[in-house]
Amino acid sequence: MSQLPPCPQCQSEYTYEDGVQLVCPECGHEWTEAEQADADTGPVIRDANGNTLQDGDTVTVIKDLKVKGSSLVVKVGTKVKNIRLVDGDHDIDCKIDGVGAMKLKSEFVKKA
C-alpha cells in the first residue's frame, strides 16, 4: 500500500485518494499531488534582473535608498553580504556596514 501525504490544512493522516485528487475526511480539503509539490517549494524571490535569490547570497544595491527615520543613505553599488530571505513586503533581511540591520526589497538589488 502506498503512503499518502497528510492533509496540508489540518495535518490529518487519514487522507485517501478519489481519482486524481487526495481528500481529507476530517476537514474536507481536496488537493492534487502536483498542488502539494508546488506549495512545498515556497515563494521564489528574484532580484531586479530576474535572478533567483537564496539565503547567504551577496547582492548589490542598484538605487540610492534613504533609510527611514534617519539622514543616512545607502548608496548605489553598496555590496550586501550574507542576506536572509523573509516573508513580507521587504523580503531581504541583512546588515549593511555603517548602517546596521535593515530590510530591503528585492526589486532594488541585483545578485553580485
Side-chain angles (χ1 to χ4, degrees), residues 44-56:
V44 175
I45 298 176
R46 299 187 183 276
D47 69 358
N49 295 334
N51 299 320
T52 303
L53 296 174
Q54 296 177 347
D55 285 340

Side-chain angles (χ1 to χ4, degrees), residues 1 7 21 28 34 36 38 46 48 53 57 65 68 71 73 78-80 84 107 112:
M1 186 170 159
C7 176
Q21 289 194 335
Q36 180 70 27
D38 290 344
R46 299 187 183 276
L53 296 174
D57 281 348
L65 301 173
K68 193 171 186 177
S71 62
V73 175
T78 302
K79 284 200 181 232
V80 181
R84 289 179 310 280
E107 63 194 67

Side-chain angles (χ1 to χ4, degrees), residues 60-65 73-79:
T60 305
V61 177
I62 62 168
K63 177 182 175 183
D64 281 347
L65 301 173
V73 175
V74 178
K75 296 286 187 178
V76 172
T78 302
K79 284 200 181 232

Side-chain angles (χ1 to χ4, degrees), residues 5-84:
C7 176
Q9 284 192 337
C10 70
Q11 302 304 318
S12 171
E13 60 187 40
Y14 301 112
T15 58
Y16 63 91
E17 287 182 291
D18 186 20
V20 295
Q21 289 194 335
L22 298 171
V23 181
C24 175
E26 292 185 6
C27 70
H29 181 65
E30 297 178 356
W31 73 100
T32 64
E33 289 192 45
E35 290 172 356
Q36 180 70 27
D38 290 344
D40 288 344
T41 60
V44 175
I45 298 176
R46 299 187 183 276
D47 69 358
N49 295 334
N51 299 320
T52 303
L53 296 174
Q54 296 177 347
D55 285 340
D57 281 348
T58 299
V59 295
T60 305
V61 177
I62 62 168
K63 177 182 175 183
D64 281 347
L65 301 173
K66 295 180 183 177
V67 178
K68 193 171 186 177
S70 155
S71 62
L72 296 174
V73 175
V74 178
K75 296 286 187 178
V76 172
T78 302
K79 284 200 181 232
V80 181
K81 298 177 184 177
N82 199 22
I83 64 170
R84 289 179 310 280

